[in-house]
Amino acid sequence: MQKLSKIAVLTSGGDAPGMNPCIRAVVRTAIYNGLQVTGVRQGYQGLIDNNMYEMNNRSVSNILNLGGTILKTARCLPFRTDEGMEIAYNNLRARGIDGLVVIGGDGTFTGALRFSKKYPDIAVMGVPGTIDNDLYGSTYTLGFDTATNTVIEAIDKIRDTADAHDRLFFIEVMGRDSGAIALRAGISCGAEAILLPEKETAIEELIVSLKAGQYNKKSSSIVIVAEGDKHGGVYDIAKAVEKEVKNYDIKVTILGHLQRGGSPSSFDRILGSRLGYAAVNALIAGKTQQMVGLQANNIVSTDLEEALNQHEFKLEDDLMQMMEILSI
Ligand code: ATP
């Protein structure tokens, strides 16, 4: 096993609060262990454009509290091609880099694994960073906790006005393929119903439960719709319900990108720190083509191949059932 001397770190895909604490941990753990660290700007695009800079302990001062990512992120089409990967590889080798930490979601890991299979002399370690919480191998991903808290704060405010006016609100939250944010936020805010991409809910069923809520003297109702719900857009769903559920003023709110921003929660700062620290230590130990993750409050490594093959968010049916009972 050749000794690692210089690593690079990048953030890729959608930004997620907690990426900055993770970058800080990567840089400081590496330097503590005598490694040099290069920061790559704009994800894989920065590897291709040679948009990188040398980092030191001060490069990551006062970033623990910042949302987004100081390294910037991007969706990079050229990295999907063999030519793009070759340019990235040559740029890394020219800088003497032999280890790479990638912080991102499943697309980022797919790219990292392909790259590492082509160029195994650069070790890669993944860190799960996505607000969607949809990666196998880690119970929680970076950014999910903060994003859920942001959604909860917004929905609490909407509940105040919904209650004052006897309103029914449909609130769209992020999660094209994953209902994780919708489910947690729904339980936390006492939503009357949650529509998720993983579970088909008939509109008729929704109408029956909203009417039951009215019969039970509920003065407001909140339906959370994950953006990937099978029924289409939140406006279509609201329209279909409006025809059947009377005596409610129906409103729609799309929370949108505000869900990505904001200062990382304590949980995400600690998770980012633990995962960044573990990723560098794993590279030093000679590991590659793996991701670090949190399981039963322990940091563990999973092969990227396995993580990507098993990739499927398992809807927590027990939580869904509990939510339905508690919101009656
Ligand atoms: P999020 O979950 O927040 O969307 P993600 O990592 O899944 O994050 P993607 O946009 O899917 O986000 O992927 C990030 C980047 O990874 C892509 O822009 C691309 O550069 C790279 N990538 C994705 N799939 C591949 C692939 N098959 N081969 C090479 N690179 C890939």
Side-chain angles (χ1 to χ4, degrees):
M1 190 176 77
Q2 224 177 327
K3 203 167 170 290
L4 202 68
S5 61
K6 189 169 183 182
I7 66 166
V9 56
L10 61 81
T11 49
S12 163
D15 61 301
M19 284 180 161
N20 282 327
C22 186
I23 294 166
R24 172 178 175 271
V26 167
V27 170
R28 292 190 175 169
T29 307
I31 289 171
Y32 174 81
N33 285 286
L35 302 176
Q36 292 177 282
V37 196
T38 298
V40 184
R41 295 192 184 91
Q42 293 177 326
Y44 292 129
Q45 192 64 49
L47 292 184
I48 291 172
D49 296 344
N50 209 2
N51 189 1
M52 311 183 211
Y53 65 108
E54 304 313 308
M55 300 183 85
N56 59 43
N57 282 333
R58 297 287 71 75
S59 318
V60 288
S61 295
N62 303 326
I63 65 166
L64 270 172
N65 56 323
L66 301 180
T69 156
I70 60 159
L71 291 176
K72 311 273 187 186
T73 181
R75 311 226 185 234
C76 171
L77 280 179
F79 194 71
R80 292 172 183 262
T81 65
D82 288 345
E83 298 72 29
M85 283 204 181
E86 192 181 350
I87 296 170
Y89 173 75
N90 289 333
N91 284 335
L92 285 168
R93 288 311 310 182
R95 289 171 178 268
I97 291 164
D98 42 19
L100 179 63
V101 176
V102 298
I103 307 167
D106 59 340
T108 300
F109 291 173
T110 305
L113 184 59
R114 262 188 68 199
F115 180 77
S116 177
K117 281 182 175 172
K118 268 171 93 67
Y119 304 108
D121 52 327
I122 297 184
V124 298
M125 192 59 55
V127 175
T130 166
I131 63 168
D132 289 340
N133 205 37
D134 59 351
L135 288 172
Y136 178 86
S138 193
T139 313
Y140 293 106
T141 57
L142 278 184
F144 170 63
D145 183 66
T146 307
T148 305
N149 281 316
T150 302
V151 169
I152 290 170
E153 203 182 323
I155 296 178
D156 284 348
K157 289 178 178 155
I158 291 171
R159 175 71 83 176
D160 290 346
T161 176
D163 205 47
H165 286 274
D166 289 356
R167 278 180 176 154
L168 162 57
F169 266 88
F170 288 85
I171 303 172
E172 186 189 276
V173 303
M174 278 186 171
R176 208 160 293 138
D177 305 307
S178 158
I181 291 179
L183 181 57
R184 300 293 164 129
I187 292 169
S188 306
C189 296
E192 274 61 32
I194 311 174
L195 303 185
L196 306 164
E198 298 87 351
K199 185 174 183 272
E200 191 100 15
T201 307
I203 293 289
E204 297 71 36
E205 238 177 84
L206 175 65
I207 290 168
V208 168
S209 91
L210 290 169
K211 282 184 173 170
Q214 282 186 319
Y215 180 79
N216 287 325
K217 308 239 176 321
K218 277 185 180 270
S219 55
S220 64
S221 281
I222 287 189
V223 178
I224 300 182
V225 183
E227 61 185 341
D229 179 73
K230 305 280 184 292
H231 293 291
V234 65
Y235 283 102
D236 294 339
I237 298 168
K239 231 181 238 160
V241 170
E242 197 165 27
K243 284 189 203 134
E244 301 292 332
V245 181
K246 309 290 175 195
N247 306 324
Y248 256 150
D249 189 14
I250 295 183
K251 299 283 178 197
V252 172
T253 299
I254 296 176
L255 294 183
H257 281 82
L258 73 82
Q259 296 166 83
R260 284 199 181 278
S263 187
S265 63
S266 154
F267 183 87
D268 278 328
R269 294 183 198 199
I270 292 166
L271 184 62
S273 301
R274 290 180 78 185
L275 292 177
Y277 177 80
V280 174
N281 283 323
L283 284 175
I284 291 169
K287 293 185 180 173
T288 184
Q289 297 183 8
Q290 294 189 342
M291 62 167 265
V292 287
L294 184 74
Q295 289 178 21
N297 206 24
N298 293 312
I299 302 296
V300 296
S301 297
T302 305
D303 287 339
L304 283 178
E305 190 93 56
E306 185 190 354
L308 290 166
N309 284 339
Q310 301 280 337
H311 168 71
E312 197 188 329
F313 173 71
K314 304 260 181 307
L315 180 71
E316 294 146 303
D317 279 323
D318 52 333
L319 289 187
M320 191 67 188
Q321 200 182 1
M322 178 191 79
M323 173 266 154
E324 280 164 8
I325 291 169
L326 298 188
S327 66
I328 288 171

